[in-house]
Amino acid sequence: MKQLPSLFTALLLCLSTTLGFARDIDADKLRRAYEQESNPRKKILLLDTLTEHLEMFGFTDSSSLQSYQVLIRLGRQVGDSVLVAKGWFRVASHHSLNKQIILSNQACYKALNAMLAAKEHQEYALISDIYTVLGFNYTVLKNEKKALQFHHLALDFINKTQDFRRKADILTNIRVFYREQHKEDSLKYYARLSLDAYRNSARQSIDTMYEVGGIAWALLDLDSTQQAIQYFELGLQQAKKRGEQHSIKTFYKYLGNAYYKINHYAKAKDYYLRSEQINDLTKSVMVNNNLSKIFWKEGDYKNAFKHYQQAKEIEEKSFSLQVAQQIFDAELHYQEALQKQELLQSQNETLQARQFLFFMLGLLIMSLITIGLFWRLYSQKRESEIKLAELNKEITAQNEEILTQTEQLSETNEALTSINENLDQLVRDRTAVVESQKDQIEQFAFMNAHQIRGPVATMLGLINMIESENMLAQHKDIEGYLKTTANKMDMMIHQVQDRLDHKEWEKTVPSEQILKT
């Protein structure tokens, strides 16, 4: 919806330009159509078209200013920042045409602020127009440096479009600065750019009167004065056909400049006198100065002094405007400085508040972390104390058990020591017993081999004799031998038994007794 007003306006202006009556569009009819329209969208379109028409053709009446202000109000109501910017730009143009430079600059800055709120819209041409008005205003105030700065900004934005007419106008404004500074190289450079831009614009336009004047001025700066005069005369013819007195007077002035440049003062004076009524401060100064010089060369000192006085009066008015603008700029800079200081102070307070908040937040976080750490350490200490107490109990129980076992071991050691001491004695006693038994066994072995074996062998021999010879009945003495031998044998057996049952065997200490001990 925000692009429709420009489209509608472009179509309307193209149609009106084609028919050749763009300047004669009835503004009252547009106002009545706007007032009678009930559809808000169409109402805004009509108002945008009306205000663009008023601004384009330089209407400077109060009703036009009211229309611009209504456009600003409607733009704010519908939240259209571009529409608000257009309204403020047209207010700025209105004040600039009325030489109210301070009010014009204020409106330009408001328009730029509105455009900042509409970053998503690529209204490069509108931004360029705003900077162009600022450049024009500072040119009127003789602040060429600032004027050139704004014109270059306008050129940067218009280069992003294909609007060659606007580009040519901006280049022309830049040329004015370099012409006054007598910087011929820069002047010719921008004059060539202007010439190309005006020619491209002429290819896009049906009515080329404006472009013809621009081409002529560019040729004049390129020192092609005769060609420039031809284009000025062509533009003058087109203006006369259209019946536009303002354009006719403008071309008179341009022709006067051209003829003045080639020292054709008679024709220059003629054209200047025809254009003397142009309502423009800077142009009137130049015209009056040139007329004063021409009359001085012709010896008409009265008229020369008259035009010289008129030029000075206009310069004084311009100077008062310049002083007022400087005061306004100083006040504006002071207000901006105050706003920046307040903003900086507010930012510092906000920053300090944020820093204090962050400090308190950090302190709180550190406190919570510290409390958490202390709580964790306390919990770990508490758990460690509980575990330590349990370990102490276990250690105490183990110590008691160890003490008990130690006592038992002591008793055992004492018993072992006693056993060891008894064991040596027992070993000695046992060794003595073993040696005694060994002797007894040796004696028994001897008795077995000699004393027992002898009677047994005798008995065996006698028995064999009895069996073989049946001599028992015949030899009664054999029986005696057998009885005697049996008694010996019995006696020997008893002796062996007595030895085996000897008290020395009982001296051996049994192992059970040792273990019991």
Side-chain angles (χ1 to χ4, degrees):
M1 183 182 76
K2 295 177 182 178
Q3 295 178 352
L4 290 175
S6 298
L7 179 60
F8 180 81
T9 302
L11 292 174
L12 180 61
L13 290 177
C14 287
L15 178 62
S16 63
T17 305
T18 305
L19 297 176
F21 59 90
R23 180 67 179 86
D24 298 326
I25 292 178
D26 193 347
D28 292 333
K29 289 183 179 180
L30 285 172
R31 284 194 181 95
R32 284 195 295 271
Y34 161 72
E35 291 171 356
Q36 293 172 3
E37 184 59 54
S38 58
N39 188 313
R41 181 178 176 183
K42 292 181 180 179
K43 198 175 183 73
I44 292 174
L45 290 175
L46 285 170
L47 182 61
D48 188 22
T49 304
L50 170 63
T51 54
E52 185 170 3
H53 169 74
L54 296 174
E55 182 268 329
M56 180 177 294
F57 292 107
F59 285 88
T60 58
D61 55 302
S62 59
S63 61
S64 300
L65 182 60
Q66 291 175 359
S67 299
Y68 304 149
Q69 292 170 346
V70 172
L71 182 66
I72 294 170
R73 186 171 64 253
L74 287 177
R76 287 173 176 170
Q77 289 176 358
V78 298
D80 190 338
S81 298
V82 175
L83 208 60
V84 174
K86 286 181 179 179
W88 281 118
F89 162 70
R90 289 161 191 170
V91 169
S93 298
H94 178 276
H95 289 316
S96 183
L97 291 173
N98 287 319
K99 307 307 175 188
Q100 297 173 323
I101 306 301
I102 296 175
L103 295 176
S104 178
N105 284 348
Q106 288 177 337
C108 285
Y109 291 129
K110 290 179 180 179
L112 289 174
N113 288 333
M115 287 305 302
L116 289 175
K119 294 180 180 178
E120 69 276 6
H121 298 285
Q122 305 298 322
E123 297 288 341
Y124 298 126
L126 178 58
I127 298 173
S128 177
D129 288 343
I130 296 170
Y131 283 125
T132 299
V133 172
L134 283 169
F136 174 77
N137 290 342
Y138 281 100
T139 300
V140 173
L141 297 172
K142 303 299 183 183
N143 191 341
E144 288 84 3
K145 184 177 181 181
K146 206 163 188 178
L148 184 64
Q149 178 184 355
F150 283 119
H151 286 315
H152 276 293
L153 286 172
L155 182 62
D156 291 340
F157 279 97
I158 206 62
N159 280 333
K160 298 178 181 180
T161 70
Q162 295 297 318
D163 194 334
F164 293 106
R165 173 174 286 190
R166 280 189 172 94
K167 180 179 180 179
D169 290 342
I170 296 167
L171 290 168
T172 300
N173 294 331
I174 295 173
R175 279 161 43 212
V176 171
F177 171 79
Y178 290 117
R179 188 184 303 117
E180 293 177 354
Q181 297 293 323
H182 303 290
K183 296 182 178 180
E184 295 298 325
D185 293 338
S186 299
L187 176 61
K188 293 183 184 302
Y189 171 75
Y190 283 102
R192 284 190 290 270
L193 293 179
S194 298
L195 188 61
D196 292 338
Y198 279 123
R199 284 173 175 170
N200 288 327
S201 178
R203 295 187 188 99
Q204 296 177 346
S205 302
I206 298 173
D207 185 2
T208 59
M209 184 187 71
Y210 187 82
E211 284 76 13
V212 167
I215 292 171
W217 260 111
L219 290 170
L220 196 64
D221 285 336
L222 291 170
D223 296 330
S224 300
T225 309
Q226 292 298 332
Q227 292 184 13
I229 290 173
Q230 293 176 3
Y231 275 98
F232 282 139
E233 289 177 347
L234 178 61
L236 179 60
Q237 292 174 5
Q238 292 179 352
K240 287 179 177 179
K241 287 181 182 179
R242 295 172 60 172
E244 293 184 0
Q245 294 300 316
H246 178 79
S247 299
I248 292 171
K249 292 178 181 180
T250 301
F251 279 108
Y252 281 153
K253 175 195 173 296
Y254 292 162
L255 284 166
N257 289 336
Y259 281 111
Y260 185 86
K261 187 173 183 178
I262 59 175
N263 300 325
H264 202 314
Y265 299 121
K267 284 191 175 183
K269 182 177 70 173
D270 179 56
Y271 283 120
Y272 278 145
L273 291 173
R274 294 181 187 184
S275 65
E276 194 177 12
Q277 301 301 319
I278 296 175
N279 185 22
D280 186 285
L281 286 177
T282 55
K283 292 181 180 178
S284 295
V285 170
M286 182 172 57
V287 169
N288 281 289
N289 279 330
N290 289 342
L291 281 172
S292 176
K293 293 176 182 178
I294 292 171
F295 282 121
W296 182 269
K297 290 178 181 179
E298 292 177 350
D300 190 351
Y301 301 115
K302 183 179 179 180
N303 283 325
F305 182 71
K306 172 187 172 183
H307 287 287
Y308 176 76
Q309 278 187 326
Q310 289 179 357
K312 288 300 180 183
E313 288 175 0
I314 295 170
E315 284 182 349
E316 287 177 0
K317 292 180 181 179
S318 176
F319 179 75
S320 64
L321 285 174
Q322 183 178 1
V323 172
Q325 181 63 34
Q326 289 176 352
I327 295 173
F328 167 74
D329 287 341
E331 184 179 357
L332 183 63
H333 289 317
Y334 175 70
Q335 293 295 333
E336 289 178 353
L338 284 179
Q339 290 178 357
K340 288 181 180 178
Q341 185 177 2
E342 292 176 357
L343 179 62
L344 183 61
Q345 184 177 358
S346 176
Q347 290 177 348
N348 288 334
E349 291 177 355
T350 304
L351 181 61
Q352 289 177 359
R354 287 182 179 176
Q355 289 177 348
F356 179 74
L357 180 62
F358 289 149
F359 173 75
M360 294 303 295
L361 184 60
L363 185 61
L364 178 61
I365 292 172
M366 291 299 296
S367 300
L368 292 175
I369 293 172
T370 305
I371 292 172
L373 289 174
F374 275 116
W375 177 256
R376 185 174 180 182
L377 291 173
Y378 174 76
S379 300
Q380 291 178 350
K381 182 181 178 183
R382 186 67 178 169
E383 292 176 358
S384 299
E385 289 177 351
I386 294 171
K387 291 180 179 179
L388 185 60
E390 293 177 354
L391 289 173
N392 287 333
K393 290 180 181 179
E394 292 179 1
I395 291 171
T396 302
Q398 290 177 358
N399 287 334
E400 293 176 354
E401 185 177 355
I402 289 171
L403 288 173
T404 304
Q405 292 177 356
T406 302
E407 292 177 356
Q408 293 177 354
L409 287 174
S410 298
E411 294 176 357
T412 305
N413 286 333
E414 292 176 359
L416 288 174
T417 302
S418 176
I419 289 171
N420 287 333
E421 293 176 354
N422 295 328
L423 185 60
D424 292 336
Q425 185 63 36
L426 289 173
V427 168
R428 287 193 294 271
D429 294 341
R430 191 65 177 268
T431 302
V433 172
V434 169
E435 289 178 353
S436 175
Q437 290 176 350
K438 180 181 177 182
D439 294 336
Q440 292 178 3
I441 290 170
E442 288 176 355
Q443 291 178 6
F444 173 74
F446 179 78
M447 290 174 64
N448 183 54
H450 297 284
Q451 294 179 1
I452 296 175
R453 181 62 181 166
V456 171
T458 303
M459 288 178 64
L460 290 174
L462 290 174
I463 291 170
N464 288 331
M465 287 176 62
I466 292 171
E467 290 177 351
S468 62
E469 297 180 5
N470 197 11
M471 294 176 63
L472 186 56
Q474 294 176 8
H475 297 283
K476 294 291 187 180
D477 55 344
I478 293 173
E479 181 180 0
Y481 288 128
L482 286 171
K483 190 177 291 187
T484 303
T485 302
N487 287 331
K488 286 181 181 181
M489 186 176 176
D490 181 61
M491 184 179 65
M492 293 302 296
I493 290 168
H494 281 292
Q495 288 179 357
V496 170
Q497 187 63 41
D498 288 339
R499 287 184 179 274
L500 290 174
D501 293 335
H502 195 270
K503 296 294 182 181
E504 293 180 357
W505 292 94
E506 295 178 358
K507 293 180 181 179
T508 305
V509 180
S511 59
E512 291 82 359
Q513 184 178 358
I514 296 173
L515 291 174
K516 287 180 181 179
T517 328

